[in-house]
């Protein structure tokens, strides 16, 4: 398993191409060799390839326009081939995070076909969870289970987010074990309780048992452990990424 940096952490440091290029360099200087590209400024695939190569980085996952994935899946695959990325991600349920069965049914209807097309063309669709997916449907089953049932493993991976699972009162390590074969890419994000508030924290600086989570990830076939911190509460996001990297290195990862 490789340690990667999720660029959503650095979205405010990548609002234009110059800053994006500098942020790629700084992430590589920390020691990261893999990245997920998400939340950044508009870029051409050729530009991304050039700047990844320049810094010895590999993009292992993106978050991409759901409209383009739904309507132009072949074009999306071809764009990703330019920078050698097979994993194409959806950041959240189309329509927003206020999930309901209507959104769920629409998602399944609209994306099972494109997911198969991506697979047939050498790519894979990935879905990123928040806490909402652990809500129950009218029949008592969780939304996340409905998603897993609707898509074959080879057609849909889960970019499993450790923080949001625990935020929802779930065990991250247990869910990772349940999703064996789907969790090639995992978001590592710690949870720290401050008063009554649950905050995101650098990996190893909160309350989650990452030794257990990483063991489960290894058993489940994870390949890329992507550090993400949506909010850094005034701390430099590069410093947060550095803290997470050093902690994960101390556990024997690279």
């Amino acid at each position: 398993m490789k340690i990667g940096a999720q660029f959503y952490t650095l979205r405010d440091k990548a609002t234009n191409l110059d800053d994006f290029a500098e942020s790629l360099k700084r992430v590589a200087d920390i020691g990261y060799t893999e990245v997920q590209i998400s939340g950044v400024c508009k870029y051409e695939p050729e530009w991304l390839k050039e700047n990844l190569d320049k810094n010895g980085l590999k993009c292992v996952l993106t978050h991409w326009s759901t409209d383009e994935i739904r309507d132009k899946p072949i074009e999306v695959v071809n764009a990703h081939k330019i920078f050698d990325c097979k994993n194409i991600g959806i950041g959240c349920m189309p329509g927003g995070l206020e999930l309901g069965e209507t959104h769920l049914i629409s998602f399944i209807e609209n994306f099972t076909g494109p997911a198969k097309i991506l697979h047939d063309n050498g790519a894979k669709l990935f879905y990123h969870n928040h806490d909402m997916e652990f809500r129950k449907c009218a029949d008592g089953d969780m939304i996340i289970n409905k998603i897993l049932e609707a898509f074959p493993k080879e057609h849909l991976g889960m970019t499993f987010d450790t923080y949001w699972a625990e935020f929802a009162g779930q065990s991250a390590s247990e869910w990772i074990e349940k999703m064996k074969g789907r969790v090639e890419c995992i978001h590592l994000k710690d949870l720290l309780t401050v008063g009554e508030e649950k905050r995101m924290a650098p990996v190893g600086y909160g309350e989650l048992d990452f030794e257990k989570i990483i063991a489960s990830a290894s058993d489940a076939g994870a390949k890329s452990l992507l550090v993400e911190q949506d909010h850094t509460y005034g701390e430099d996001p590069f410093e947060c990424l550095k803290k997470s990297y050093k902690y994960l290195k101390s556990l024997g990862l690279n």
Side-chain angles (χ1 to χ4, degrees):
M1 295 184 295
K2 294 282 188 181
I3 309 170
Q6 206 314 38
F7 254 72
Y8 190 73
T9 310
L10 301 171
R11 61 195 180 278
D12 294 335
K13 307 293 185 181
T15 58
N16 59 69
L17 290 177
D18 287 342
D19 288 349
F20 186 10
E22 177 63 20
S23 293
L24 286 166
K25 180 182 182 300
R26 291 184 67 178
V27 163
D29 287 344
I30 291 171
Y32 288 100
T33 57
E34 294 188 347
V35 294
Q36 177 183 355
I37 300 302
S38 169
V40 301
C41 63
K42 187 175 181 179
Y43 60 88
E44 293 298 326
E46 294 83 0
W47 181 93
L48 182 57
K49 173 179 169 49
E50 178 184 348
N51 282 274
L52 290 169
D53 291 348
K54 185 187 299 183
N55 291 288
L57 294 170
K58 178 172 177 55
C59 177
V60 296
L61 179 64
T62 60
H63 278 161
W64 206 260
S65 161
T66 53
D67 288 346
E68 289 190 18
I69 293 170
R70 181 192 63 214
D71 299 334
K72 301 186 290 185
I74 298 295
E75 289 90 336
V76 172
V77 172
N78 288 338
H80 281 70
K81 284 181 178 178
I82 292 170
F83 52 91
D84 191 28
C85 179
K86 295 181 179 180
N87 301 325
I88 300 166
I90 288 176
C92 63
M93 181 78 71
L97 293 179
E98 289 304 316
L99 296 178
E101 291 190 57
T102 300
H103 279 163
L104 174 63
I105 292 167
S106 177
F107 172 68
I108 292 169
E109 289 177 347
N110 288 328
F111 287 90
T112 48
K116 183 179 186 304
I117 292 171
L118 264 57
H119 170 262
D120 291 347
N121 286 273
K124 188 172 184 178
L125 183 64
F126 276 75
Y127 181 94
H128 171 255
N129 70 280
H130 293 81
D131 61 313
M132 305 290 188
E133 285 81 0
F134 298 98
R135 290 180 179 176
K136 291 184 178 179
C137 298
D139 64 2
D141 198 8
M142 288 184 181
I143 289 171
I144 193 168
N145 286 329
K146 300 286 190 183
I147 294 172
L148 297 175
E149 290 167 6
F151 294 83
K153 284 184 180 181
E154 61 269 22
H155 292 181
L156 184 74
M158 295 294 294
T159 313
F160 185 79
D161 191 298
T162 57
Y163 171 91
W164 285 117
E166 298 277 349
F167 184 93
Q170 303 293 313
S171 165
S173 58
E174 288 180 9
W175 271 99
I176 289 169
E177 290 169 8
K178 288 180 186 178
M179 292 191 288
K180 185 174 184 177
R182 290 194 193 260
V183 285
E184 296 98 320
C185 302
I186 294 175
H187 281 177
L188 297 189
K189 184 188 305 174
D190 215 335
L191 184 154
L192 180 65
T193 304
V194 180
E196 296 184 358
E197 181 185 5
K198 293 180 179 179
R199 288 191 171 190
M200 299 172 182
V203 180
Y205 287 76
E207 301 157 19
L208 302 194
D209 185 346
F210 277 100
E211 292 190 37
K212 185 175 181 181
I213 287 169
I214 289 164
S216 295
S218 179
D219 290 343
K223 297 178 181 177
S224 298
L225 304 177
L226 300 160
V227 174
E228 182 182 44
Q229 192 175 341
D230 307 25
H231 304 289
T232 60
Y233 310 95
E235 191 171 358
D236 183 346
F238 288 104
E239 288 302 312
C240 291
L241 285 176
K242 186 181 292 186
K243 286 180 179 180
S244 295
Y245 181 80
K246 288 182 176 179
Y247 171 75
L248 292 168
K249 285 282 286 185
S250 75
L251 298 183
L253 296 167
N254 57 42

